[in-house]
Amino acid sequence: MLSILHVDMNAFYASCHQALDPSLKGKPVIVAGDPKKRNGIVLTASYEARKFGVKTAMPNWQARKLCPHAVFIKPDYRLYVATSHRVLEILNRFSPLVEVFSIDEAWLDVTGCEGLFGDAVTIAEKIQRAVMEELSLPCSVGVSCNKLLAKMASDMKKPMGITVITPEDVPDVIWPLPVDELYGVGPRLAERLKKMNITTIGDLAGVPVEMLEAAFGLVGRHIHQWANGIDDSPVDPHSMDDARSMGHSITLPRDVDTWDEAEAVLLSLAEQVGRRVRRGNYVGRVVTVTLRDSSFSTITRSSSIPYTSATEDIYAAAKRLLRSNWDGRTPLRLLGVSLSGLMREFDQISVFEADEKKKRLNRVIDEIRDRFGDDAIFRAKLKSRDLIGQKGSPALGPLARRN
Amino acid sequence: MQFSIEKDQLLSGISAAERFIASKTTMPILSGIKFSAYGSSLELSATDLEMGIEYRLPAQIMEEGDAVISTKVFTDIARKLPQGPVMFRRKEGQITVEAGDFRLNMPVLEAGDFPEVVPPETKPILKFPKETFKNMVKQTIFARAEDSISRPVLTGELLEARNGRFHVVALDGFRIAWRWEEAEVPDFSVIVPGRALVELTRALSDAGEESFEIHTGRNRVVFCTENLVMATRVLEGKFIDYEQVVQVEPRITAVTKTDALLSSIERAFIVAREGNKNNLVKFRIGNNRMEVSAETEMGSVYEKVQCETSGDELVVAFNARFFIEALRSVEKPEIELKFAGEVGPCVIRPRNSENHINFILPVRLRSEDY
């Protein structure tokens, strides 16, 4: 019954730095955008810093005022991605059914694993211990009968908590919580619910579902179920590969206003997209580029190309879109590349040797990265570009996010 | 300029010409049809710079001259004109079109600015029966690439003569469609944009004669009949050596009824096209039958098709659409299929005929698909 686990890494970015540099342990650590270049904001604060009231998304100056002795660190997305992979490796030891939700969260379905590792709570303890002993990283684990309740449970005790929620606990534990703590209820929806006199999850659970459906459609039905602790969705290890589009975008650490730099960033993004597409055995035919300039005006432009998963093709199309939609001067603050119109690739054989060569090259690069890490190999164009990480390897994280 | 022409004649000319007008252009002159009245005929010209047409019609010329008439408004009015003769009269910058009691006045565009549709010096390279050519195009054009950034040349069709044979070939890298006919002509080779060939075969249908000529000159290829000249830019590049590529050592050969296999794959395709599996259909060939199957989230189909086989049993998968298009182009009741292996091509020929070849590469099956 209780067989779904939700693992939530605690203050993940800050913890990664503390794990890497033991001298930071026990100290307030704040991972934030470069304060010199722009009005940086706090991405993650360690628990030591949180005690002083430092919160995510707070401007740097405010954080510094609250916690003057904090260590400020620039984000290192390569580190987070690499660490995230290592956490995933540990989780995979305990169950074949692991669904990655984000860089620092994942579900496990441990049904049937009890004989090997003990009951769900025991497995939660083993995971928490393994992650701490092997990676020096704290995490909280929620244990329940479905993904929703497991996720809410992992949120209950941080850091290093293990919380069990049974369906019977829902009225006591979940219902008193404010409605915006429910999965799927964002600030705007919460605002509208408040106008209907719904402020707690319990209020939401008690409202007739028809009323919510009338007001919010399908979403209304879903949140009503969730408020009642009901969630039938399976832990799906492939949830990430079954997308209609795969994309990456990056908020640049500083504005970009030259062709050279913009194209280097595009190549890095195309590479990340291509790699993900290839990993899922997809090919796609629509390349979309997102450009946001320093005045926050954003455009997206698409172009169709023959089905491909090759970085070179994605990059070529992205570059053409950039060339025809940017003047090479207006400072850019965000760039994104995505590939859609995805189709499962079943290795259609081609008469052209060159195609095969391109495919083989991409496959080899992917294999090297999978085995030796993202910075083991990179394209010459990306060499020593500070925009995309120290060694030109792809960046990932909340600023460079998957969509 | 002044001439008179029968409405039906005029309409046939306009319908042929307007297909060549540039749909999006920054040059207003290209949105017009050029009317040239000289001698005893009226010539209509249209071009989008990539390709163009000159269409000659019998007309009664009273005063020689030319004018470019914008197709906007004019073509729609031409269709609605009463039956009978239509009189065109140009006076400086205006054209007057009269039919019965109807009269239209329009400004003309300056004919001097109209680009050259057909290069002045071309050399004839081939005279060929029109219907045969149209059929050769129809039987191959589906295999060209719809769009290809890396190899634009694949969006065209290869027309070439070698060793007394005239070949028409289209290929997109995954398949090849090839037709040839005996023709005593000197060797030549041009790659014609697919879109131009589609328009050409359409325009040829209207042309009266049995045969037409192909000319080349200045990176253009020109197709002409008595009353029609069509010119198009040629695509630069090279096709792979298709003759070499289609030489395969078969693992197994199957002879079967074209219709039976086609309908079976068409049925399988309905299931195969659901989902994102490349329209994958699987063939198990051997023991005098072909088993056709497909499986997606929507369900699975399985069918046995009788055939004569010789060779080792083989399981191989293809994009069903490639097979359907190839089989639909076959006009003979029986076909011979040579399968080279799991990752090798299938070469399809009508039984007892050599001049119609389809070559299709398979989709590599993953272990879970066997």
Side-chain angles (χ1 to χ4, degrees), chain B residues 251-305:
Chain B
R251 259 253 306 266
I252 186 163
T253 301
V255 174
T256 187
K257 297 221 177 340
T258 314
D259 283 349
L261 182 59
L262 175 60
S263 354
S264 169
I265 299 173
E266 281 175 334
R267 282 186 282 270
F269 176 60
I270 294 166
V271 168
R273 73 187 172 200
E274 299 293 330
N276 48 11
K277 280 194 164 186
N278 263 0
N279 306 326
L280 193 84
V281 287
K282 203 164 70 181
F283 299 149
R284 180 184 294 274
I285 311 126
N287 303 317
N288 290 328
R289 64 179 186 228
M290 270 179 81
E291 296 168 29
V292 178
S293 63
E295 186 178 352
T296 59
E297 298 79 11
M298 297 307 293
S300 64
V301 286
Y302 170 89
E303 185 167 354
K304 260 182 268 180
V305 179

Side-chain angles (χ1 to χ4, degrees), chain A residues 209-229:
Chain A
V209 64
E210 293 78 14
M211 193 177 128
L212 292 169
E213 247 185 310
F216 308 110
L218 201 57
V219 173
R221 176 191 285 269
H222 283 151
I223 57 174
H224 185 263
Q225 286 195 338
W226 292 336
N228 283 288

Side-chain angles (χ1 to χ4, degrees), chain A residues 5 14 29 43 59 63 95 105 117 130 133 138 159 178 180 191 201 227 304 307 316 325-326 330 356 374 380 390:
Chain A
L5 269 51
V29 171
L43 296 171
S95 169
E105 283 177 71
F117 305 111
E133 278 172 9
D180 62 358
E191 199 56 45
I201 297 178
S304 289
Y307 278 107
N325 290 291
W326 186 50
T330 312
E356 296 301 316
D374 280 351
Q390 284 158 343

